[in-house]
Amino acid sequence: MTSNINCSTCIIKSSAAKALNPEQLSELGENCVQIDFKKGDVIFKEGTFSVNITYLREGVVKLHTEGKASQILKITKGPKYLGIPTTFEEKINHYSATALEDSHICFIHTDIFKSFIEENKKFAYEIIVELCNSELELFRKCVNRTKNNVYGRLAHALLFFQEKIYESNSFHLPLSREELGNFINITRESVSRVLTELDTDKMIKIKGKEIEILDVDALKRLSAV
Amino acid sequence: MTSNINCSTCIIKSSAAKALNPEQLSELGENCVQIDFKKGDVIFKEGTFSVNITYLREGVVKLHTEGKASQILKITKGPKYLGIPTTFEEKINHYSATALEDSHICFIHTDIFKSFIEENKKFAYEIIVELCNSELELFRKCVNRTKNNVYGRLAHALLFFQEKIYESNSFHLPLSREELGNFINITRESVSRVLTELDTDKMIKIKGKEIEILDVDALKRLSAV
DNA sequence: GATAAAATGTGATTTGCATCATTTGTAAAT
DNA sequence: ATTTACAAATGATGCAAATCACATTTTATC
C-alpha cells in the first residue's frame, strides 16, 4: 500500500519534523511517500542505492548485514530515522533493513530533507541530537558485546526488548533463536541452552517465542558488565 | 600550555569551521581555548562532567573506557571533533580520551557551538556529515570485531594504522601490546603470539613498537570478513 | 489431516582463545 | 656497570562457547 500523505496532520512526527513550519510540512508531504510493510518485509537491502531518507513512523525494524553469518546491527522502534548516515554520506546501503513488526515507513526525498537542515535550525539541531544518541547507544552495545559472556548478553537483549521495544514484562519475541543469536553474537544452539537455563532458574518463563520476564533484577545482575 | 587563539587565521579548521563567516570565527576565538597535550596525557575522563566541545586540531587520540578491563572504543586523528554525542546529549562523559601522540586540542564553549549550528546552516550540515561518518565507521568496526578471529582483527588494526593514521607502511605503534589488545578485544599474550607469527610469515616486520607492513594484500586477505 | 520443511532442543566433541606460570628482553635509575 | 622495574615473549593448561550430530517440535503446504 502506497499513499501520498498529509504531514501537517500527522500525529507521529519526529522531534525534528515538529520543528517544521506549516509551509515546510506541506512541502514534506509532497516529497514523501508512506509505504506499509508487513512483518518480515525487506525495507531496503544492503548493496542497493540509498536514494531516500527512510523515516520509521511506526513499527519495529532490524538493521542487519546480509550473507549466511548475518549480523543484526541494531533493532529500533519508531518514530526514528533509519540510515541517515548511509543516505547522507554513502550512496550505497551498507546494511539491510527488515520489518520485525508491521511498520509504516515514510520515504523522504533526500534533497528536501537536506534543504530542511539548511533552512530550519531547529530541524538540524534535532537531527544532530538523534545522531548523537545513536552513537552513544552503539558505544554501549560495543562494550556490552565484548565484556559480557553469553548469559550477560542474552539477559541484556531480553531487558532491551522489555524496556526499549515492548515496555512490558511479557512480549512476543520478534526473532527466531538464530536471529537472536545474530543480534548478540552467539549461536542458535547456545541461545536455546541459555534460554532454557534462565527458565529453569525462574528468571524468565518461555513458551516458544512468548517471553515473560520474572526477575528483572537477576537479569540486570547478569548483564552488568 | 594554554592560549587564547585566533581562529580566523587557523589553517587547521574543521570542515564545519570552514563554513563560519569572519564574525563567527572571531567569536569562536573568544570562546575557545587551545591546550597542548603530550603523549599519554588524559584529555577528559569518563565520569566527569562534559562541559566543552573538544576539537582535536592535530594529533592522535584514543577514546576508551576506564577500569582494569578497559576497552578502546575508537582511535582517531585530527582534525576531528571528539565526544560531540556526550556533550550534546549527556552531561557526563561515558568514556575517557587520552592522547596517543602530542596533540593540540581546542575546548569550545558548548553554547557557542550550539549557536553556530542554529545560525549557520553549512556548519550544522558539516557536523551532521561528521556524525554520519562516525556511525558508519562504528558499524564497520562492530562487524569486523565479531566476524573475524584474532588474526583478522589484528591484521585489520595494523591496516587501520597504516591507512588511516600514519599513511605509511612503517610506523611506530602508539600502543602497548596490552592496549592493542584492548582495541581489538584480545589478550596481551595473544597479541604477542599473533604478531610474531605474522612476522615469521613475512607479512610484517616488528622490532618492539616499530612496525613495517611487508604484504598489504596478505593482511587484507586475513582481515576480509 | 497428511506430508514436507523449517525451527528448536540437547547431548557429545572440538577448538580457539584466555588464563596461568615463567622466562626473556629492555629501558630507566642508581 | 649493576640493580630495579616493567613490557614482552613463550610454553602449558583450562574452559566457554562453537561445532557437530541427531531427535523433536512447530509451522507451512498441499
Side-chain angles (χ1 to χ4, degrees), chain A residues 81-225:
Chain A
Y81 291 99
L82 304 175
I84 296 179
T86 307
T87 314
F88 247 69
E89 265 312 280
E90 300 259 352
K91 287 143 295 257
I92 289 178
N93 286 307
H94 280 226
Y95 43 80
S96 300
T98 303
L100 293 179
E101 308 277 5
D102 294 355
S103 298
H104 306 296
I105 310 254
C106 304
F107 289 89
I108 304 165
H109 280 182
T110 307
D111 293 343
I112 198 99
F113 190 85
K114 287 189 176 177
S115 80
F116 288 157
I117 287 170
E118 303 210 330
E119 287 166 18
N120 189 312
K121 55 198 189 181
K122 188 80 173 44
F123 185 88
Y125 187 88
E126 290 299 331
I127 294 298
I128 290 176
V129 167
E130 187 162 327
L131 286 171
C132 286
N133 280 324
S134 186
E135 178 158 339
L136 287 177
E137 230 174 83
L138 252 175
F139 273 135
R140 273 182 229 117
K141 184 184 143 143
C142 274
V143 172
N144 175 272
R145 294 301 138 83
T146 52
K147 288 276 158 288
N148 270 348
N149 61 14
V150 287
Y151 297 90
R153 301 213 295 278
L154 193 40
H156 188 89
L158 294 174
L159 291 172
F160 166 78
F161 283 109
Q162 182 232 11
E163 286 173 20
K164 301 289 170 61
I165 304 292
Y166 297 110
E167 296 167 45
S168 161
N169 282 340
S170 301
F171 53 86
H172 179 92
L173 191 72
L175 303 171
S176 69
R177 300 293 190 263
E178 175 147 30
E179 287 175 306
L180 183 52
N182 293 338
F183 185 39
I184 53 182
N185 305 315
I186 58 184
T187 56
R188 174 180 77 70
E189 294 93 329
S190 294
V191 171
S192 284
R193 268 185 277 263
V194 174
L195 276 180
T196 51
E197 204 168 327
L198 294 181
D199 183 288
T200 309
D201 295 348
K202 300 263 191 288
M203 295 186 193
I204 61 173
K205 201 159 88 189
I206 42 171
K207 175 131 203 306
K209 288 181 177 170
E210 298 305 322
I211 304 231
E212 192 186 345
I213 310 278
L214 299 176
D215 192 342
V216 173
D217 291 338
L219 291 180
K220 280 197 175 147
R221 257 174 276 127
L222 271 184
S223 74
V225 180

Side-chain angles (χ1 to χ4, degrees), chain B residues 64-86:
Chain B
H64 58 105
T65 62
E66 291 287 337
K68 79 163 187 58
S70 134
Q71 187 177 13
I72 296 180
L73 299 165
K74 191 191 272 195
I75 292 175
T76 192
K77 185 175 75 164
K80 183 152 303 186
Y81 290 99
L82 304 176
I84 295 179
T86 307

